[in-house]
Amino acid sequence: MSNNKLTVIDREGSTHDLEWEPDQTLMEALRDNDLPVLASCGGTASCATCHVFLDKEVFDTLAERSEDELELLVDAEGYQESGSRLSCQLDFTAELNGVTVTLAPEE
């Protein structure tokens, strides 16, 4: 059992407190906890069905988005220049322990 935590706000506004295993991407943590994240490409950054929003303060601490990730996100529903990420591109780090993410609207 992990001590790493994650809070998710789903599309209806409900809050879910989850555990996030160190070897998981954010997408895997969401999917493994039965949240409605389609992740149809399986985490290869070739769709935007695992799109999430992060607070700007957290977003600004992360590495830059790849060109592929940004290209997918710009066309995604609800894209936020300073907040949108593909959850499959975010590995667990100590800095993300306790983070709150919001699921983006479904495509």
Side-chain angles (χ1 to χ4, degrees):
M1 186 177 257
S2 173
N3 289 326
N4 305 314
K5 301 296 179 190
L6 165 68
T7 299
V8 181
I9 302 169
D10 67 23
R11 294 181 184 104
E12 286 76 44
S14 297
T15 302
H16 307 266
D17 293 319
L18 312 176
E19 291 184 6
W20 187 357
E21 299 298 327
D23 61 342
Q24 290 181 311
T25 64
L26 177 55
M27 185 242 356
E28 292 167 332
L30 297 172
R31 184 193 59 202
D32 292 354
N33 283 281
D34 298 322
L35 283 152
V37 175
L38 187 56
S40 55
C41 74
T44 61
S46 58
C47 73
T49 60
C50 69
H51 180 195
V52 296
F53 302 124
L54 298 164
D55 289 335
K56 183 174 178 0
E57 297 76 32
V58 173
F59 177 85
D60 288 345
T61 67
L62 300 173
E64 292 288 319
R65 296 173 288 208
S66 70
E67 284 185 38
D68 290 340
E69 180 181 4
L70 187 56
E71 185 177 315
L72 289 166
L73 286 169
V74 168
D75 293 331
E77 182 76 27
Y79 169 70
Q80 297 175 0
E81 186 174 338
S82 295
S84 287
R85 291 299 303 252
L86 295 180
S87 60
C88 67
Q89 298 302 295
L90 298 175
D91 293 319
F92 176 81
T93 63
E95 294 78 24
L96 288 177
N97 190 15
V99 70
T100 297
V101 301
T102 302
L103 300 183
E106 276 188 292
E107 292 289 311

